[in-house]
Amino acid sequence: MENEKVKTKAQSGNLLEVEHLKEYYPVSVGMKKVPLKAVEDVSFTIKPGETLGLVGESGCGKTTVGRTILQLYKPTAGRIVFDGDVLFDSEKKIKVDMLPYRKRMQMVFQDPYSSLDPRMTVEDIIGEPLDVHKLYANKKERREKILSLMELVGLNAEHAMRYAHEFSGGQRQRIGIARALAVRPQFIVCDEAVSALDVSIQAQVINMFEEIQEKLGVAYLFIAHDLLVVHHISDRIAVMYLGRMMETADADELNENPIHPYTLSLLSAVPIPDPETARRSKRIVLEGDVPSPLKMPAGCPFRTRCKYATEQCAKEMPELKDRGNGHLVACWNK
Amino acid sequence: MEANKEDFKYKKRAFLSAQIDLSKFNKNDFEKATEEEKKQQDVMGESRTFFQDGMRRLRKNPLAMMSIFILLAIVVIIIVAPMICPYSYDTIIRVDGKRDRGVVNLGMMQYSDMEIEYMERTGEKLFPHIFGTDSLGRDYFIRCIYGTRVSLSVGVVAAIMVLIIGVIYGSISGYFGGKADMIMMRIVDVIYSLPDMLLIILLAVVLNENLGPLIQGTVFESLGSNMIAMFIVFALLYWVGMARLIRGQILQIKKAEFVLAARTIGTPNGRILRKHIIPNCLSVIIITTALQVPSAIFTESYLSFLGLGVSAPMTSLGSLANAARDSMQSYPHRLIIPAVIIVLIVLALNLLGDGLRDAFDSKLN
Ligand SMILES: Nc1ncnc2c1ncn2[C@@H]1O[C@H](COP(=O)(O)OP(=O)(O)OP(=O)(O)O)[C@@H](O)[C@H]1O
Ligand code: SF4
Ligand SMILES: [Mg+2]
């Protein structure tokens, strides 16, 4: 792999801009078709070479956000701009052919088992993006590229002819990462790329992500449900709840000065190693279940579990407001 | 570290402790693994492909292996026998160029009087009539060989037609889904409800009149229009089962994340179908095709038995059995032999199909 970093066209601005993204799944309840509001108004930006962590409970729509950005699902509404090019705009009715962008935006999947074709060798899995975009002149170059990718993600090149089912979870995830890197993308969605792995291997893979970022200058949308993991790798963090953005801030700022009640409860869910400190800290324990995205509560979606909830929360959804230093919070009372 | 190596001692294990007794070791036993040693831990089991895996399981199945052996033996015999045997399926046996009236209806391994006399006169050994001869004086062994050839090729050709049409139709329907899928599946439902035997018989009658002159002088002529009618019906009707099965498989595989990953890469639809979806339904395709062969052989035998099979003098196992009906009492072996061959082939293919399913299908889920 040549060691030059990927260059961005929009030098001054953002690599990715997502504005008011909505994604509704049509689901049938009985005989009726109703929209399941998996993502309801999400906006964020990512700068070249930056990592945005996206956290939230299971089912809050993180995967949906990632896949919608890559246009694997057609967005219901919103606007997506990548490197100065509008990929999707529901108002202006713009939808571009994604093929050239498939080389520039990639994804690492949540499940290292089902995301690799069991009938393909590692060489063919990593080689597929090279084949599709014709990124080599001859067989020899293809093989060289594949081997250097395997080396980059720490896989033994001798195992190129093996099938995915012969590898462990961590090794499989590395195969998935090599496949995503094969086209030299500027942006990768890492959808809970480490959640399925053992804690010790998680650390290895996260370090690898960081090394690759340093080497190649890619930007990540790093999805996880664990704030601790995200804090380590992210420059900025966005907290999601039931398809909405609750709080966005720089990683350290969010960790030291969390404002939104939901973020506070997420942070207190992080285990504290020292029992003494743990006892003294005022934990906010989340009570109640996440409401079904089919029956979204009016106003603030968190109000059914929020101890600061007031009447106003039931009436209107609070907007994301800047509390200084780019720390955005959507809450009436905090 | 070297310095305090002497005074380094592990604590003695507490009484009844389940821990490893560390006092039995010294520090040298716990050297750090070198890179090379770590690499050794990496080594995984022998690389095995999906097919090697399946074949290994298949080899452990005695019924399936026996079936393969029987089928191979049959194939070898029907290829080699006509090269060795001097008789032909459609020629009436002559001795020394002269018509032999005594050569009809011989029993197994019998010679006619004229043949015996000829052999005594010249000292030359004539090839034996292993299964005897039929009522027209044709060698029955070679007729059975040709009958098996026809029956097996009918089965294989029909299965291949079902395979091609069923796989293409089913994959398109399953992969694109939505409205196209709905319409295509309703067509399948309609075809499924047509009575196939009735259609074959009707088509055979109609084609018999119209197709005769058309196929004159082509390879199809010796098979006859009945066979063509059967192939057409197979092509028109029998693929629906295969198409349904493939569609179901594809609907399932389509949802797998590796297909989504391929789309993220920008892989075009055709390539996703060819490289990801079809290979993952391959086991189902192989098994269904294997089971299709006996079903086609059975249909052909059944039709030939009704007199709608291949045209004389060409023969098939079904028409041999049909012809033997009249003389069933005097020459039962002429009915038993083709019947046994049909049973052997159909049984072996069914057992092989089941064996393939057991060996390959578990991997799918
Ligand atoms: N294809 C689909 N059809 C209908 N509903 C869907 C579909 N995919 C996801 N959903 C629903 O949309 C919501 C958001 O799902 P999503 O997978 O984006 O959540 P997530 O945050 O990634 O969760 P997890 O942490 O468990 O991966 C969930 O309620 C889920 O049930
Ligand atoms: S808006 Fe109201 S309900 Fe929502 S988080 Fe803030 S205080 Fe709680
Ligand atoms: Mg997810």
Side-chain angles (χ1 to χ4, degrees):
Chain A
M1 195 99 326
E2 318 88 79
N3 252 7
E4 66 181 90
K5 294 196 177 186
V6 247
K7 290 198 182 67
T8 323
K9 205 163 45 178
Q11 291 289 1
S12 57
N14 299 310
L15 179 64
L16 180 76
E17 290 171 21
V18 176
E19 290 167 27
H20 306 294
L21 184 70
K22 287 183 185 166
E23 178 69 31
Y24 299 169
Y25 293 112
V27 291
S28 29
V29 178
M31 294 293 282
K32 266 192 305 179
K33 275 243 157 92
V34 290
L36 185 152
K37 298 178 178 176
V39 175
E40 174 81 31
D41 200 353
V42 161
S43 308
F44 57 84
T45 58
I46 298 179
K47 291 201 171 61
E50 186 191 59
T51 303
L52 175 70
L54 186 62
V55 279
E57 277 168 291
S58 184
C60 72
K62 305 180 299 289
T63 299
T64 308
V65 168
R67 292 185 180 176
T68 315
I69 292 170
L70 293 185
Q71 312 275 307
L72 293 173
Y73 305 147
K74 188 178 176 291
T76 308
R79 186 177 139 90
I80 299 167
V81 184
F82 179 76
D83 203 9
D85 303 342
V86 180
L87 299 185
F88 181 86
D89 192 326
S90 57
E91 263 163 35
K92 297 206 185 103
K93 298 227 173 0
I94 299 174
K95 184 166 178 7
V96 297
D97 172 26
M98 280 300 287
L99 189 61
Y101 297 98
R102 298 272 177 236
K103 257 195 289 193
R104 302 165 65 187
M105 312 165 82
Q106 272 301 316
M107 178 138 180
V108 176
F109 286 82
Q110 187 164 355
D111 182 354
Y113 291 88
S114 72
S115 60
L116 303 179
D117 190 334
R119 299 280 187 278
M120 276 189 168
T121 58
V122 174
E123 181 174 358
D124 283 337
I125 291 172
I126 301 176
E128 181 159 37
L130 303 176
D131 296 341
V132 169
H133 297 283
K134 307 194 175 55
L135 296 178
Y136 53 86
N138 50 41
K139 280 250 148 62
K140 192 167 155 271
E141 195 186 337
R142 177 179 189 263
R143 193 163 171 88
E144 273 166 13
K145 282 199 168 182
I146 291 168
L147 293 185
S148 75
L149 278 164
M150 289 183 74
E151 205 173 302
L152 182 71
V153 298
L155 282 169
N156 188 343
E158 284 160 28
H159 297 162
M161 292 311 290
R162 301 202 163 207
Y163 286 78
H165 69 87
E166 298 170 54
F167 291 86
S168 68
Q171 288 171 318
R172 280 160 167 257
Q173 201 57 294
R174 287 168 195 265
I175 299 171
I177 295 165
R179 169 175 62 189
L181 288 173
V183 291
R184 303 293 309 275
Q186 293 159 284
F187 171 63
I188 301 179
V189 176
C190 308
D191 185 3
E192 309 214 21
V194 294
S195 304
L197 309 177
D198 283 350
V199 181
S200 58
I201 297 166
Q202 272 188 5
Q204 285 176 16
V205 174
I206 288 178
N207 287 340
M208 193 184 82
F209 271 119
E210 288 188 319
E211 274 165 29
I212 289 170
Q213 186 167 50
E214 245 164 60
K215 244 189 238 171
L216 309 176
V218 281
Y220 295 134
L221 174 64
F222 200 91
I223 300 174
H225 53 244
D226 182 351
L227 253 178
L228 209 62
V229 167
V230 167
H231 177 229
H232 181 75
I233 191 173
S234 305
D235 299 304
R236 283 187 311 123
I237 295 177
V239 179
M240 244 181 113
Y241 185 77
L242 268 186
R244 286 181 192 269
M245 220 60 143
M246 290 299 174
E247 184 167 9
T248 314
D250 285 347
D252 292 330
E253 161 79 6
L254 190 92
N255 207 41
E256 282 153 25
N257 182 24
I259 297 178
H260 198 280
Y262 179 59
T263 315
L264 288 171
S265 66
L266 273 186
L267 277 172
S268 50
V270 173
I272 302 170
D274 178 21
E276 197 55 36
T277 334
R279 216 169 298 136
R280 267 187 278 115
S281 75
K282 288 191 214 90
R283 282 189 171 230
I284 305 171
V285 180
L286 268 185
E287 278 166 16
D289 287 329
V290 190
S292 153
L294 280 174
K295 276 190 230 125
M296 197 88 85
C300 174
F302 190 55
R303 73 183 162 82
T304 53
R305 298 161 89 190
C306 177
K307 63 175 184 179
Y308 306 100
T310 56
E311 265 174 46
Q312 192 183 17
C313 305
K315 283 201 199 96
E316 249 183 297
M317 171 66 202
E319 299 238 328
L320 270 178
K321 286 223 177 70
D322 199 338
R323 309 286 172 99
N325 274 339
H327 191 151
L328 306 173
V329 182
C331 179
W332 292 120
N333 302 327
K334 287 285 277 187
Chain B
M1 221 199 269
E2 286 294 309
N4 60 7
K5 199 171 121 191
E6 299 284 279
D7 48 44
F8 187 92
K9 272 208 192 88
Y10 286 100
K11 255 193 264 172
K12 187 126 181 89
R13 182 176 66 151
F15 183 60
L16 283 183
S17 162
Q19 258 181 355
I20 298 169
D21 190 355
L22 288 174
S23 60
K24 282 189 187 149
F25 301 95
N26 64 35
K27 190 151 198 273
N28 295 338
D29 291 334
F30 294 101
E31 259 179 319
K32 268 197 174 172
T34 62
E35 279 308 307
E36 205 173 309
E37 280 167 325
K38 279 184 192 161
K39 271 266 161 64
Q40 285 172 356
Q41 296 291 312
D42 263 11
V43 176
M44 290 168 287
E46 234 343 83
S47 170
R48 253 186 273 113
T49 70
F50 160 72
F51 273 103
Q52 286 167 338
D53 231 29
M55 288 312 288
R56 210 167 39 99
R57 252 171 292 168
L58 191 67
R59 245 177 265 129
K60 285 197 189 130
N61 182 339
L63 276 179
M65 288 320 285
M66 207 171 73
S67 307
I68 291 177
F69 178 76
I70 290 175
L71 288 173
L72 277 181
I74 291 176
V75 169
V76 168
I77 290 172
I78 61 174
I79 290 171
V80 172
M83 297 174 189
I84 298 169
C85 184
Y87 310 114
S88 164
Y89 70 94
D90 58 349
T91 49
I92 293 158
I93 292 162
R94 289 161 167 269
V95 180
D96 212 7
K98 278 188 270 342
R99 186 90 172 81
D100 177 5
R101 295 204 180 278
V103 86
V104 296
N105 293 335
L106 290 177
M108 290 203 211
M109 298 306 278
Q110 276 180 351
Y111 286 108
S112 71
D113 297 340
M114 241 174 111
E115 280 173 329
I116 293 168
E117 188 254 351
Y118 173 79
M119 281 190 289
E120 274 168 3
R121 180 157 48 82
T122 59
E124 184 188 335
K125 189 110 177 76
L126 280 175
F127 199 83
H129 305 298
I130 300 169
F131 293 162
T133 58
D134 68 1
S135 53
L136 289 178
R138 296 174 292 199
D139 185 78
Y140 203 63
F141 172 71
I142 204 73
R143 280 188 72 71
C144 283
I145 295 291
Y146 271 87
T148 314
R149 270 189 171 189
V150 168
S151 288
L152 254 186
S153 4
V154 165
V156 170
V157 171
I160 289 174
M161 282 194 315
V162 166
L163 172 81
I164 294 171
I165 302 172
V167 167
I168 293 176
Y169 195 95
S171 8
I172 292 173
S173 177
Y175 187 67
F176 291 102
K179 281 229 166 61
D181 178 42
M182 214 191 68
I183 295 168
M184 287 172 93
M185 279 302 116
R186 292 299 82 74
I187 294 174
V188 163
D189 289 341
V190 170
I191 294 177
Y192 220 76
S193 59
L194 295 176
D196 42 5
M197 274 303 161
L198 192 68
L199 267 183
I200 293 179
I201 293 169
L202 281 177
L203 252 180
V205 173
V206 173
L207 285 180
N208 227 341
E209 286 165 10
N210 303 326
L211 216 60
L214 267 183
I215 57 171
Q216 217 138 43
T218 66
V219 271
F220 299 115
E221 199 185 359
S222 66
L223 280 176
S225 54
N226 286 336
M227 274 295 105
I228 312 276
M230 230 180 74
F231 282 139
I232 291 175
V233 173
F234 268 121
L236 285 179
L237 303 182
Y238 276 39
W239 54 270
V240 287
M242 176 72 102
R244 267 190 178 169
L245 228 95
I246 298 293
R247 170 183 171 269
Q249 277 290 316
I250 286 180
L251 282 182
Q252 196 191 331
I253 294 164
K254 200 169 72 163
K255 292 205 195 87
E257 263 185 2
F258 62 80
V259 173
L260 203 64
R263 275 207 240 125
T264 316
I265 286 164
T267 314
N269 280 332
R271 191 184 152 106
I272 291 184
L273 259 176
R274 265 186 300 114
K275 293 265 174 175
H276 295 283
I277 293 182
I278 302 273
N280 278 286
C281 347
L282 210 58
S283 43
V284 173
I285 295 175
I286 294 170
I287 294 156
T288 319
T289 311
L291 292 176
Q292 196 67 53
V293 179
S295 133
I297 289 177
F298 219 73
T299 309
E300 186 277 330
S301 301
Y302 176 80
L303 285 171
S304 294
F305 198 76
L306 292 180
L308 286 168
V310 285
S311 338
M314 187 39 95
T315 192
S316 76
L317 291 173
S319 16
L320 283 174
N322 182 36
R325 261 189 321 170
D326 307 331
S327 51
M328 199 162 71
Q329 246 122 58
S330 349
Y331 311 106
H333 70 276
R334 278 199 227 146
L335 181 57
I336 292 168
I337 292 168
V340 166
I341 301 176
I342 292 176
V343 168
L344 266 181
I345 293 177
V346 172
L347 198 66
L349 279 166
N350 271 314
L351 287 175
L352 177 62
D354 281 347
L356 284 173
R357 174 163 38 225
D358 292 345
F360 286 93
D361 225 18
S362 58
K363 195 89 194 181
L364 258 185
N365 306 314

